[in-house]
Amino acid sequence: MKALLVGLGAAGVGWLKKLENAGDMAIAVVEPNESRQSLLHGKGIPFYRSLTEAIEREKPDFLVNVTPPFVHSQVNHTAFDYRLPVLCEKPISFDYEESQQVVRRAIQENIPFMVAENYRRHPYVRKLKRLLDEGAIGELSAIDAVFYRYHQRERAYPVSLLKDIAVHHLDMIRYLTGQEGKRIFARNVNPRGSWDRELVSVNLYVWLETEGGIPVTYTGSLAARSSATPWSGNWRVEGTEGAIELVDKELTLITRSGAAKVDMAGDPPVTDCLGEFLASLREGREAETSGRQYLRTEALMHYAERSSEAAAILDVQLPDPGRDRS
Ligand SMILES: NC(=O)c1ccc[n+]([C@@H]2O[C@H](COP(=O)([O-])OP(=O)(O)OC[C@H]3O[C@@H](n4cnc5c(N)ncnc54)[C@H](O)[C@@H]3O)[C@@H](O)[C@H]2O)c1
């Protein structure tokens, strides 16, 4: 297989390592910032500044899109022009209508398109989901999730908590409950003493009800001076027969017989996004976080933003980009 890695910024470097470790994988890179070429020194990896030139010369089998989110669609559409399968970083785009157009096109033209949603692939998140599916706490009854960090990052574009980080947590809510959102109330806030005067979404407060009636509360902050949670947050999952706490990447199962740390030794290894994408191509099936699936996560992101603007509880209308494989 030959991969075309597009965007060699902070996250692109991580993707380069993943592709190098994938075994039997040829790689070429597209990056407009020529100074980044030095990162490929001695690797024999072709470096291009033009995407179309790279596609035409290298004839890759798939493209990994690690450009800034406002560039994603332009790159995705160019890849689709060449019928290239795409593994795209989150979110599909910052604009919900634009994301829907990209996914609709991938579906209509039957081009595999997957979003690299990595938080639900953490082994402890997989384990939590497995315990819920096995009925370890009876029926799921409520979720409370918190995410706190002091994270000031210089980027060429604004980094909002909602669209940059909380989108992962909204996806985790869908994954853990196995349900879509039905109603949402959210507030984007720039708190007093925030490191950014302009950015609206530095703190985020969400109340969400799933289609099955599970209430979910979420607090997130990128300006928290209190102790930090992991990027995936800390979670309390309540059930009719018990509860599970995910704190600092460790699971505790609480039942009538007491609280016990969950031992994950011997659990099967979890495939990462690249592994899932390659498997979906090999097996000719829809990937777990295909664009079609992930649009439902972006629907939550969209309605959270609308809710915050309107200061109102909103019904979540699920997108309908089509039914074929994407
Ligand atoms: N899943 C995660 O945990 C995670 C973590 C960090 C970033 N990300 C995602 O990765 C993506 C990139 O983020 P980043 O932090 O690396 O950003 P970044 O700004 O550090 O890097 C983006 C790179 O893309 C390059 N670029 C811009 N336009 C381009 C174009 N037209 N063609 C090719 N390259 C282009 C830029 O020059 C830059 O080097 C974003 O979608 C972000 O949301 C995901």
Side-chain angles (χ1 to χ4, degrees), residues 32-107:
N33 180 350
E34 212 145 1
S35 71
R36 305 294 287 174
Q37 187 171 7
S38 60
L39 294 166
L40 303 178
H41 184 71
K43 292 179 185 284
I45 295 178
F47 181 89
Y48 295 86
R49 295 181 64 199
S50 155
L51 175 57
T52 49
E53 186 190 348
I55 294 175
E56 284 176 13
R57 285 227 196 146
E58 297 294 332
K59 306 221 176 325
D61 297 298
F62 66 94
L63 186 149
V64 183
N65 187 352
V66 198
T67 59
F70 60 88
V71 180
H72 283 179
S73 298
Q74 174 196 325
V75 171
N76 290 334
H77 280 298
T78 303
F80 295 163
D81 289 344
Y82 289 87
R83 297 201 56 76
L84 270 181
V86 175
L87 177 55
C88 180
E89 263 297 349
K90 42 49 65 173
I92 300 170
S93 80
F94 280 148
D95 180 84
Y96 186 45
E97 183 50 43
E98 186 181 316
S99 296
Q100 292 183 78
Q101 281 166 10
V102 168
V103 173
R104 234 177 262 134
R105 178 171 176 198
I107 290 172

Side-chain angles (χ1 to χ4, degrees), residues 124-145 176 234-247 250-255 258-262 264:
Y124 49 87
V125 178
R126 282 324 236 210
K127 179 76 173 187
L128 170 54
K129 171 69 170 160
R130 224 170 22 250
L131 288 169
L132 295 175
D133 288 350
E134 288 165 6
I137 58 169
E139 274 180 60
L140 216 167
S141 60
I143 291 183
D144 180 53
L176 293 174
N234 286 339
W235 295 66
R236 277 168 187 260
V237 183
E238 299 285 340
T240 51
E241 307 290 328
I244 303 174
E245 292 177 3
L246 170 59
V247 177
E250 279 197 350
L251 292 162
T252 304
L253 176 63
I254 298 147
T255 58
K261 291 252 181 280
V262 175
M264 291 181 44

Side-chain angles (χ1 to χ4, degrees), residues 182-200:
K182 186 176 176 204
R183 266 192 285 270
I184 193 163
F185 178 70
R187 293 299 279 169
N188 275 311
V189 173
N190 196 0
R192 248 177 233 169
S194 163
W195 43 261
D196 192 304
R197 280 166 188 252
E198 308 290 328
L199 201 57
V200 177

Side-chain angles (χ1 to χ4, degrees), residues 6-12 30-33 36 66-69 71-72 74-75 89-91 116 118-119 153 155 157 164 168:
V6 184
L8 193 55
V30 181
E31 165 60 59
N33 180 350
R36 305 294 287 174
V66 198
T67 59
V71 180
H72 283 179
Q74 174 196 325
V75 171
E89 263 297 349
K90 42 49 65 173
N118 52 332
Y119 281 27
R153 191 177 151 197
R155 263 197 185 155
Y157 55 93
D164 201 50
H168 288 293

